[in-house]
Structures are given as structure tokens and as C-alpha cells.
Amino acid sequence: MSELNKIALKILSNSKGILAADESTGTMTKRLEAINVPSSSENRLLFRETLFSSDGMKNYIGGVILYDETIKQTSSSNKTIPELISSSGAVLGIKVDIGAKILAGSPEEKITEGLDGLRERLKEYYKFGARFTKWRGVYSISDKYPSKLSIFSNAHALARYSALVQECGMVPIVEPEILMDGSHSAEDCFEKTSEVIKKCFEELALHNIDLTGIILKPNMILPGNKSDKKISNDEVAKLTLKCLKENVPTDVPGVAFLSGGQTEVQATENLNLINKYNDTNFIMTYSYGRALQQSALKFWAKDIKDIKGTQEVFNHRANMCTLAAQGKWTRELEDK
Ligand code: 13P
């Protein structure tokens, strides 16, 4: 077993999942402004360290993805954030892309940037204790898009990123996200997600990536949020499994889904069904941002000093997600 494979399994095993707490300062500012909390670096730290020091971390979270600001911060208990996360048993991860920018040549689409100087930044993050990383490629669906150019160029960037990350002894999360925005059908999402994932693995192969040492972070197969053709959760789970079975090489140890704008309960219920029907060898778990943090954030906004109460909300959410990663979630447990 390679060292990279060991890290990937440490993150994903025992039905644990990943807490994606890597919102950029811009995104976190939007989230905090929406709940009327000023977006100071102290407040961003306070919310995050509240989650990182919860019991839910020890029991359910195998890895945490941080943003550059947070990995360099020190918590109120005087532990650095990397120390706080390590003491919970979770592996430290870091977002290393610098965001999705307009794709020259197809200006309605996006290309993720951050390759220049990446090797040096990775070395710095490794010294902070990071052992896995995230890079997100983003695609929209419409009658013309995603274009071949966006599918190719994002796959190429994801592969160049992955090669640098593995060279540095860390596990890359490969995240090609097809956005839920739009009026496309679930079939369109299935078709485009398949094409995108297939191209990613072609590029990963070209860049000699050790597939046992990556984690795939895809979207689930869903109709667009403006589509009038809704499908059942059962169909979401079955289409998602079919797409992954057809396009992901079996060497990949696991898949950690993004929540992508689903509600907390939707994201949990769909993951639960995916695990109920999972007839692959892939570990299927979560790497949620909003679907792990939304209610905790809302609760915290009422009194940012109520650490215990906020942690209870988070513990429940993480517990539900970890049950879903075993196909053992139920609505009764959800509403308890
Ligand atoms: P969401 O679960 O909120 O989609 O965030 C996951 C993530 O890391 C997106 O890059």
C-alpha cells in the first residue's frame, strides 16, 4: 500500500467524511453577512474553531479542508489550528486553487487558476501539516456548455495540480463540479458529468497519477434547480452510481461528494441511498461545506458565544452524514 493510499484511507475509512471549511474570505464574508455577523478574521476563526473543537470532529470527521487564512491561525486555547485538528484525529487538508476565472476563448465559462508557484506553496502547506489538498474545477450546463475547451482545460489543470500534490507527498482531492444552476434535466447532468469525469481520468493517466492516492469529489446526478423535471431520490442515487461505475477507474479508493446547494437533509438522504445501493468497491462519503455547516452557522448567529449549542447542532449534522455514509440514516434519527 502506498503512503498516499494510506492517507486517503485514513481520511475516508470508518464512514467518516470531510468537513469542507475552505470558503475563501470572499465567500465566508457573504455567509457571515447573510446572518448579520461582521466578517472579521476573529469571527471567521471563532466559528471555525467552534466546529474544530467539537465532539463531532472526533467521531465523524476524517479530514478538514482549510483556507490559507485558517491554516495560519491560532485558536483561543492557544493550539494552532493544525494542532487542534490533528488532536481530533482528522487529517489536515488545504484548498490550493486560487479560484475560477473567465476562460479565455470561451468567456462564459470558467477555468480554475493557481498552478504558477504551486510547488512552492505546497511545500509550505506540508510544513504546516497538510496531507491532502483540494482543487475545484467548475462547469455549467446549458445547450452549448460545457464546451470541449472547458472540459479539456479544467481536466488538464486538475491533472497538473494532482501531479504536483503527489510529488509533494500529499493526496489531491480532484473536484470537477457541475453546477446545479439551470433548467437542465438529470439526464443532461448524467451525460455531462460522465464526459467531464472521463476526461479528468484521461488527463490524470497522462500525468502518471497514482490513482490509489487521490479522492474524487464529484457532484451527484441531479436535475438543474430550475428544471421542471424532478426525479426521485432513488433515481438520483442510481444515476450517480451508474455514472461513477462507468467512468471512475477501480483503483480510486473513494468518492467524497460535494453538497452543491442541496439542503442538508437532501444531501444526507441522497448519500444514504447511494450507500444502500453501492455495489462498487469505492468508499462513498461526504465532503460537504454548506450541508455540514448551514444550521450550525444559523444557530451560532443568534449568539456567537454559545459554543456548546453550536457544537451540538454540528455534531448532529455530522452524525447524520456519517450514518448516511453507511446507508443507515433514517428520517426518525434525523428528527430526533
Ligand atoms: P458544498 O458542499 O457547499 O458544495 O461545498 C463543498 C466544496 O468544497 C465545494 O468546493
Side-chain angles (χ1 to χ4, degrees), residues 65-79:
I65 317 172
L66 298 178
Y67 183 60
D68 181 75
E69 174 185 61
T70 324
I71 203 169
K72 296 168 180 165
Q73 285 176 318
T74 298
S75 69
S76 52
S77 64
N78 274 330
K79 277 185 188 164

Side-chain angles (χ1 to χ4, degrees), residues 180-310:
M180 215 209 272
D181 308 312
S183 52
H184 54 273
S185 64
E187 288 71 31
D188 295 332
C189 181
F190 177 88
E191 195 187 304
K192 297 302 173 192
T193 305
S194 299
E195 198 179 338
V196 161
I197 292 180
K198 194 161 176 244
K199 181 56 82 183
C200 284
F201 281 103
E202 274 174 34
E203 287 292 314
L204 291 173
L206 200 59
H207 288 76
N208 301 315
I209 301 304
D210 169 8
L211 294 183
T212 69
I214 73 158
I215 295 171
L216 179 68
K217 177 163 171 166
N219 50 282
M220 295 178 190
I221 304 299
L222 298 161
N225 54 7
K226 296 195 194 81
S227 168
D228 43 23
K229 284 193 254 153
K230 299 292 173 222
I231 63 168
S232 68
N233 293 334
D234 246 40
E235 286 170 295
V236 170
K238 287 181 177 160
L239 281 172
T240 303
L241 276 167
K242 182 168 155 47
C243 173
L244 297 174
K245 271 201 285 200
E246 288 176 0
N247 297 291
V248 183
T250 51
D251 279 352
V252 173
V255 171
F257 293 98
L258 58 96
S259 61
Q262 298 181 75
T263 66
E264 292 178 335
V265 175
Q266 266 169 357
T268 310
E269 195 165 359
N270 286 332
L271 177 64
N272 189 58
L273 288 168
I274 288 170
N275 276 291
K276 276 203 166 158
Y277 300 135
N278 187 8
D279 55 354
T280 70
N281 288 325
F282 303 128
I283 295 171
M284 299 279 191
T285 188
Y286 55 94
S287 175
Y288 292 164
R290 285 162 287 179
L292 268 176
Q293 301 181 89
Q294 227 156 39
S295 345
L297 194 60
K298 232 169 130 186
F299 183 94
W300 179 73
K302 286 187 275 170
D303 176 5
I304 64 170
K305 295 213 172 64
D306 188 354
I307 307 293
K308 243 180 130 20
T310 306

